[in-house]
Amino acid sequence: YNREFSRDFEPSRYGSTDNYYYQMCSVIRYFKGVSKPENDSSKGIEINHDFSQWSDVTPIFYDYVGDTSKRNHSDTSGQIVYVNETGRNDIVESRFTYDSSYVYFYAKTKMPLTDYTDPNWMLLFIDIDNDKSTGWEGYDYLINQYVVDENLTVISKYQNNLWQEIGLVEYSAKENDLHLRIPRSV
């Protein structure tokens, strides 16, 4: 068997990566169906107020719990060891909304958030044009690559093969909740 005629849908580093897994998912969705997406809601969020403001914002995006576990396992050949020690801040729910001036994002984690000084803390990648050929891996904007302090972070745009800072974003984090607002002008 080769990559084109593989029976194995397990993700692999070399070759098919996770293509067969996602192909299987799409076929299952085709036969079983997918629920109709909820309508999105437009609402302004006050960054300095509590997180209960998000209770009526839809849609809600749920994530698997426990997918940030640390890994140290070899592949089936025993020649490659996959190591990932970065697992933290297990996101369980996220939402977004907008108004005429800002776009808002919210994330809830299973356990309290790590400190904002943690490297690669709560990175948010945004694909604004839905085009995989633009940006970095299709993502045009990155938030939190550089965090200024407990209230301000940097938004960067992928230009000329680099993440370039283009502005500041206000955010608030407490226990296992985080929200931020991005000016639409950016």
Side-chain angles (χ1 to χ4, degrees):
Y1 294 94
N2 58 30
R3 291 181 195 160
E4 185 177 358
F5 299 105
S6 174
R7 291 187 199 175
D8 191 0
F9 74 91
E10 175 183 289
S12 62
R13 177 182 279 179
Y14 305 107
S16 61
T17 62
D18 55 5
N19 295 343
Y20 291 116
Y21 176 78
Y22 282 112
Q23 182 179 3
M24 178 190 70
C25 291
S26 74
V27 171
I28 290 170
R29 286 183 180 132
Y30 178 77
F31 285 103
K32 290 186 125 189
V34 177
S35 10
K36 185 178 178 183
E38 299 176 54
N39 292 329
D40 61 341
S41 54
S42 172
K43 176 182 180 179
I45 300 291
E46 294 294 328
I47 289 298
N48 297 322
H49 289 119
D50 66 19
F51 297 95
S52 65
Q53 305 170 80
W54 288 92
S55 64
D56 60 345
V57 173
T58 57
I60 303 169
F61 302 94
Y62 295 103
D63 188 31
Y64 295 108
V65 176
D67 58 356
T68 58
S69 58
K70 297 181 184 337
R71 299 179 197 129
N72 187 351
H73 298 284
S74 61
D75 68 350
T76 54
S77 71
Q79 297 178 6
I80 299 172
V81 177
Y82 296 100
V83 177
N84 185 339
E85 300 286 334
T86 61
R88 65 202 184 282
N89 296 326
D90 191 1
I91 296 172
V92 296
E93 174 187 316
S94 59
R95 304 175 192 220
F96 83 96
T97 189
Y98 56 91
D99 61 21
S100 60
S101 302
Y102 296 96
V103 177
Y104 307 90
F105 290 90
Y106 167 78
K108 181 181 192 78
T109 57
K110 181 179 178 191
M111 303 296 288
L113 291 160
T114 58
D115 193 77
Y116 72 88
T117 59
D118 190 10
N120 295 321
W121 181 73
M122 298 298 287
L123 298 177
L124 174 60
F125 292 91
I126 300 174
D127 178 6
I128 202 78
D129 58 8
N130 200 24
D131 184 353
K132 178 89 168 138
S133 67
T134 63
W136 176 80
E137 297 290 324
Y139 295 105
D140 307 298
Y141 294 92
L142 169 59
I143 295 141
N144 272 354
Q145 183 180 21
Y146 306 107
V147 182
V148 177
D149 60 28
E150 63 274 355
N151 299 306
L152 282 175
T153 188
V154 172
I155 181 168
S156 303
K157 184 174 183 177
Y158 198 75
Q159 303 175 110
N160 303 319
N161 294 321
L162 294 170
W163 288 111
Q164 299 180 15
E165 297 178 21
I166 59 170
L168 295 176
V169 171
E170 291 179 278
Y171 79 94
S172 176
K174 186 175 181 183
E175 296 177 11
N176 60 339
D177 294 304
L178 166 79
H179 60 190
L180 54 90
R181 69 178 182 185
I182 304 168
R184 289 177 82 111
S185 60
V186 174

